[in-house]
Amino acid sequence: MAHARHTRLAPALLLGAAGVVLYRSGCTFVGGGAGAGGLAGRVLQAHRVSATAVRARGGDDAVEDDDEEFVYEFDDNAFVEYSSLKIGQKLDGIVQKVMPFGCFIDVGADKQGMAPLGKMSEARIEDPNDVVKVGDTVECWVASKDNGKLTLALTPSKIFGPRDKAPTSAFQGMGDQFMDGTIVQIQSFGAFVSIMNPAGGPPGQGLLPVSQIGETRVDDINSLLEVGQTVKVRVAEVNVEKDRIGLSMRMPEAARANASDFEGVPNDQWFDGVVVAVQVYGAFVKVTSPLGSVAQGLVPISQVSDMRIDDLSSVLTIGQTVKVRVAEIDLDKDRISLSMRVPDAARASASDFEGVPDDQWFDGVVVTLKNYGAFIKLTSPSGLVAKGLLPNKEIADTFVEDPGEYLEMDMEVKVRIVSIDQEKNRISLSMLQKKEAKMNEAAAPAAA
């Protein structure tokens, strides 16, 4: 649910049609199966209606014409359980009550949250009414969960207080093991991450420098990370004197490959590998070199598949066996870049299908679905892998608006070559038989 920060809602709740509530201050929340505790999480949209419309729905005849009313439509599926909330998670909420010590906020959960005065602003404030009013929609972050109480912060820098963090010394001797962390704040130089205390108790917080996010240069940290996101990090440095924890999403140098062991390996030679870590930018895979040494290399997310991948964890898991090849070696940095994709040199061009009869069928696999058709992977007569376009009009005899109604990813299909464009290196495919073949089939029963 998206709200603009501190958008003022109109003043009273009037019950309207089923599933619709008119909100005004000072009234009890009504409507919806989850009750008052789930209002903010179930609000889909709001729009102003006239006083005449309010009265038409059985509202108050005394409503002034210049009053602001909003109609809210609810989505019960957006209801959030308290148990599922995570420290640092970003939420949208509606301010229910403002007190001298803070404000109460409905975030669509089965528990109402409270933002203490000290967690409402970057600057020191005396009166919470200077920051919010009843009815405001606000962005907030989960600061703590304690005995059923939900504490919120109105700014990510206030998620943790001085006494909310585990001592830095608790993270000494962690080794190179990766752990789950939650992004709580993002700056141009890196991200602050909440990590689980190995001894139990309050979590710790460390800095993930931008240089430790990926194996390659990261120009825009916000393109990879966001507040509330769960990431895999390891403790790279602990400075008890300065009370600092340095984190990294990169593999430790000791776990990297001896790149020289892979020198001279053809880029089309395939190795069996095992996924040892999955990050937002790629996966680390353990492979055995031709000399028998065990090494780890990075498969960038762009080299996992021919199709676009938004969430790598939905494709790869730790312990999964994969086929990889060495795409690049950096001897100076002792790094190996791996790929799960077929090298370009091993791919067929449109010319490889020149002279192929347009009634010859090929086995193909759906690798990408678009609104205009599907891209199909097939093998050329010379044994090279190629990719061609199967337009909507060539999928079925009827009009096809959505190819997803007929095809799905990794689906095996039979296709034939309709045309090739050597200049643009394009291959056009069809799942339909030639018209001549259809006419012959139709005429066969009659001839018999």
Side-chain angles (χ1 to χ4, degrees), residues 228-291:
Q229 180 180 350
T230 300
V231 293
K232 291 286 187 180
V233 294
R234 61 182 179 84
V235 176
E237 181 185 1
V238 175
N239 190 323
V240 177
E241 184 179 342
K242 295 184 178 180
D243 193 29
R244 293 177 184 173
I245 300 174
L247 303 175
S248 178
M249 292 173 64
R250 296 171 56 177
M251 292 296 293
E253 295 295 331
R256 298 180 186 276
N258 183 357
S260 60
D261 288 352
F262 289 85
E263 194 172 10
V265 171
N267 73 342
D268 59 353
Q269 180 177 338
W270 294 93
F271 294 85
D272 289 325
V274 177
V275 178
V276 295
V278 178
Q279 298 286 15
V280 292
Y281 53 82
F284 289 96
V285 176
K286 182 170 65 177
V287 292
T288 301
S289 75
L291 300 180

Side-chain angles (χ1 to χ4, degrees), residues 7-272:
T7 300
R8 184 60 41 78
L9 298 184
L13 262 178
L14 300 176
L15 180 61
V20 177
V21 171
L22 299 181
Y23 175 87
R24 303 187 69 201
S25 62
C27 291
T28 305
F29 287 102
V30 293
L39 176 63
R42 294 180 288 118
V43 175
L44 283 183
Q45 60 179 342
H47 58 272
R48 187 176 290 114
V49 295
S50 66
T52 303
V54 175
R55 288 191 290 269
R57 289 184 171 90
D60 186 359
D61 289 339
V63 173
E64 296 294 333
D65 289 342
D66 60 352
D67 275 356
E68 289 180 322
E69 289 87 24
F70 292 82
V71 174
Y72 286 90
E73 297 179 7
F74 295 88
D75 176 15
D76 286 322
N77 293 327
F79 187 74
V80 181
E81 291 187 1
Y82 170 85
S83 58
S84 69
L85 295 175
K86 298 180 180 179
I87 305 300
Q89 183 175 344
K90 183 180 179 181
L91 303 168
D92 291 301
I94 298 177
V95 177
Q96 302 292 293
K97 192 174 184 179
V98 180
M99 303 295 288
F101 51 82
C103 65
F104 291 92
I105 303 172
D106 177 8
V107 293
D110 46 0
K111 298 282 186 181
Q112 192 177 57
M114 199 276 283
L117 190 64
K119 292 184 180 293
M120 292 182 63
S121 174
E122 297 275 2
R124 178 181 175 84
I125 59 172
E126 300 293 339
D127 185 359
N129 288 285
D130 294 338
V131 180
V132 296
K133 304 293 183 185
V134 171
D136 280 355
T137 61
V138 295
E139 291 179 345
C140 52
W141 288 261
V142 177
S144 69
K145 295 165 58 181
D146 185 24
N147 295 325
K149 295 180 181 179
L150 177 61
T151 302
L152 305 172
L154 297 189
T155 175
S157 64
K158 296 291 184 177
I159 294 175
F160 293 101
R163 291 176 295 180
D164 293 333
K165 295 185 294 185
T168 305
S169 57
F171 296 89
Q172 289 182 307
M174 292 288 292
D176 295 326
Q177 67 185 70
F178 280 86
M179 68 187 82
D180 287 333
T182 303
I183 305 294
V184 296
Q185 187 180 0
I186 295 178
Q187 300 288 348
S188 59
F189 52 82
F192 289 96
V193 183
S194 169
I195 51 178
M196 192 73 69
N197 185 343
Q205 183 175 327
L207 173 64
L208 174 65
V210 68
S211 62
Q212 293 297 313
I213 293 175
E215 295 295 314
T216 57
R217 177 184 173 88
V218 176
D219 294 316
D220 181 12
I221 187 174
N222 292 287
S223 66
L224 292 175
L225 305 177
E226 61 182 21
V227 173
Q229 180 180 350
T230 300
V231 293
K232 291 286 187 180
V233 294
R234 61 182 179 84
V235 176
E237 181 185 1
V238 175
N239 190 323
V240 177
E241 184 179 342
K242 295 184 178 180
D243 193 29
R244 293 177 184 173
I245 300 174
L247 303 175
S248 178
M249 292 173 64
R250 296 171 56 177
M251 292 296 293
E253 295 295 331
R256 298 180 186 276
N258 183 357
S260 60
D261 288 352
F262 289 85
E263 194 172 10
V265 171
N267 73 342
D268 59 353
Q269 180 177 338
W270 294 93
F271 294 85
D272 289 325

